[in-house]
Amino acid sequence: MSLRALPLIVIPFILYNIVVLFSGGAHADDVLRKVIFELPMVGGARWRFSMGDLLILVTMFMLFFELIKATYTSSASLLDHGLSMLVFIACLVEFLLVPQAATSVFFFIMIATLIDVVAGFMIGIRTARRDLNIGDH
């Protein structure tokens, strides 16, 4: 199995579970609001970057790379789409059943996995159709 077949969107899902579920019993919102760093802004305000912000940022980067991977047509991409669907199902089940996953950060991770699944199939169908048309000429 190729490493390209592994969905990168699983990384934020795993990171969230590591950060929140193994936080020593602290409430999920408290863990996600933990400030990593602060920067003073020109206007006098302070910008706070929290653990939840970091998880959402990692999620956006992984979604970007997953969308790029969706443009390739191969057997590895079919496996990637199938595994991405399993990641989405795992996120949905965890969101509905695990109290620590009932946060906005996890909801955005779950929506990113849904976007990965839907966009992956749509882009894959579109590029496969284009490859088929090129092959006919």
Side-chain angles (χ1 to χ4, degrees):
M1 177 168 78
S2 170
L3 285 178
R4 265 190 36 200
L6 296 176
L8 296 174
I9 203 74
V10 76
I11 293 171
F13 176 65
I14 292 170
L15 285 176
Y16 181 91
N17 286 315
I18 289 170
V19 167
V20 173
L21 296 179
F22 300 116
S23 63
H27 194 269
D29 284 329
D30 296 336
V31 174
L32 295 172
R33 288 190 181 121
K34 181 181 175 193
V35 175
I36 298 173
F37 64 86
E38 290 185 18
L39 289 176
M41 305 303 286
V42 176
R46 298 191 65 78
W47 175 54
R48 292 176 179 87
F49 191 80
S50 68
M51 183 63 71
D53 298 332
L54 178 63
L55 288 171
I56 291 173
L57 182 65
V58 169
T59 302
M60 289 190 304
F61 275 114
M62 293 302 113
L63 181 59
F64 172 73
F65 290 118
E66 279 296 314
L67 293 176
I68 291 173
K69 279 176 37 180
T71 62
Y72 297 104
T73 54
S74 69
S75 59
S77 64
L78 291 175
L79 183 59
D80 178 52
H81 295 321
L83 292 174
S84 292
M85 176 67 84
L86 291 177
V87 173
F88 169 68
I89 292 169
C91 283
L92 181 62
V93 168
E94 184 171 337
F95 182 70
L96 295 173
L97 298 178
V98 178
Q100 294 90 340
T103 64
S104 293
V105 172
F106 193 80
F107 177 76
F108 288 129
I109 293 172
M110 182 184 67
I111 293 301
T113 62
L114 176 63
I115 291 170
D116 176 36
V117 169
V118 173
F121 282 118
M122 290 176 68
I123 293 169
I125 289 169
R126 196 80 170 135
T127 56
R129 187 178 302 154
R130 188 173 299 132
D131 288 347
L132 184 62
N133 288 338
I134 291 171
D136 287 339
H137 288 105

